[in-house]
Amino acid sequence: MAAVKMYDGSTRGSEEVIRKVKRKRLPLLILFGVFSGILLAVGIIGLIIENYVMVAVTIIFLLPFLIPWIVTLIQYLNPRKCNPIKRNPQILEQADYLFSHIAYQNEFIVACPEYFAIKTDISRVFAMNEVLQMYKRIVNTNYGTTYSLVVETVREPFSMVFPKNYNDIVDQSVQVIAPYCPYVKLGYGKENQNYVEYMRTMWAEAQKQGMAE
């Protein structure tokens, strides 16, 4: 895992969230843009040399790359219109509050009593009172072992992969966060999973009632 920035309180959280959202879309923007450019070049060359097979290939294959490129470009230029900001419009205010009230941070998380974020995906800001479950998932395959921290909230599940040498840091992070999460269950199990589903259903119903009033 690459070196992670240690924040000193001078950084605006909302700017970090927007920067991360844009950074996530940049690889797709480049990928679709390169393929669209290549296909356009093939079509132009085909017209110049009157090779209409090349033109036909461009017509057939251009749209499947050009349309996603346009969509990704719009998302890149307007990160407030895409997830996770679109899914949680308050996230920018939460991030600003978090970064101006930092009480704890290590290589893995940055936290204050109300919110925390995982540094490798700072675009996700978790409200302590929305966290329902946290546990580590270890998956063994023929290609190696994958370690991840799973955070279940009233909104959705979130999983962050981390290297094995971060195992103790992740444990430490959970120990710091858990006391500030009034509804959290630690560890994986059927009982905890049922609890998450129940609480998530109750939260969704409360949101619907709030919108109806």
Side-chain angles (χ1 to χ4, degrees):
M1 185 174 288
V4 180
K5 182 178 179 180
M6 299 298 286
Y7 299 101
D8 59 6
S10 62
T11 304
R12 288 198 64 188
S14 55
E15 293 176 355
E16 288 291 286
V17 170
I18 291 173
R19 190 178 297 115
K20 181 64 177 181
V21 171
K22 293 179 70 173
R23 192 180 303 152
K24 283 181 176 180
R25 278 148 184 81
L26 188 57
L28 284 178
L29 183 65
I30 294 172
L31 178 65
F32 289 128
V34 168
F35 278 105
S36 297
I38 291 172
L39 288 169
L40 282 171
V42 169
I44 293 171
I45 293 171
L47 286 173
I48 293 173
I49 65 176
E50 297 185 354
N51 185 331
Y52 297 107
V53 173
M54 295 173 65
V55 176
V57 168
T58 297
I59 294 173
I60 293 171
F61 291 102
L62 180 60
L63 285 182
F65 290 102
L66 185 60
I67 292 176
W69 179 79
I70 293 173
V71 171
T72 306
L73 178 62
I74 293 172
Q75 292 177 337
Y76 182 83
L77 296 175
N78 299 279
R80 295 171 185 266
K81 300 296 184 180
C82 55
N83 292 329
I85 301 173
K86 182 180 179 181
R87 186 166 51 244
N88 178 17
Q90 296 178 327
I91 193 172
L92 297 180
E93 295 177 8
Q94 294 171 348
D96 280 338
Y97 184 91
L98 167 60
F99 276 73
S100 61
H101 294 80
I102 296 174
Y104 176 84
Q105 66 176 313
N106 57 21
E107 296 91 334
F108 191 66
I109 64 165
V110 55
C112 72
E114 292 82 8
Y115 305 101
F116 74 93
I118 297 174
K119 287 188 172 181
T120 47
D121 190 355
I122 214 72
S123 66
R124 305 278 183 161
V125 176
F126 301 94
M128 298 288 192
N129 61 3
E130 291 186 358
V131 179
L132 301 176
Q133 184 184 22
M134 287 190 290
Y135 61 92
K136 288 191 301 185
R137 177 186 290 146
I138 302 174
V139 179
N140 295 302
T141 68
N142 293 333
Y143 301 100
T145 304
T146 302
Y147 297 81
S148 57
L149 175 68
V150 179
V151 180
E152 296 274 4
T153 75
V154 293
R155 299 174 188 273
E156 60 187 349
F158 176 78
S159 180
M160 172 56 64
V161 175
F162 62 87
K164 183 179 180 180
N165 64 324
Y166 266 52
N167 194 49
D168 291 340
I169 295 174
V170 172
D171 286 341
Q172 182 187 61
S173 301
V174 172
Q175 290 172 6
V176 170
I177 294 168
Y180 296 95
C181 301
Y183 307 109
V184 72
K185 300 286 186 180
L186 298 181
Y188 181 82
K190 185 64 176 178
E191 183 177 343
N192 286 355
Q193 291 298 107
N194 290 340
Y195 166 78
V196 169
E197 292 303 318
Y198 171 77
M199 293 293 284
R200 195 171 280 159
T201 300
M202 295 295 291
W203 182 81
E205 290 178 357
Q207 294 297 109
K208 290 179 181 179
Q209 291 178 0
M211 293 175 63
E213 293 177 354

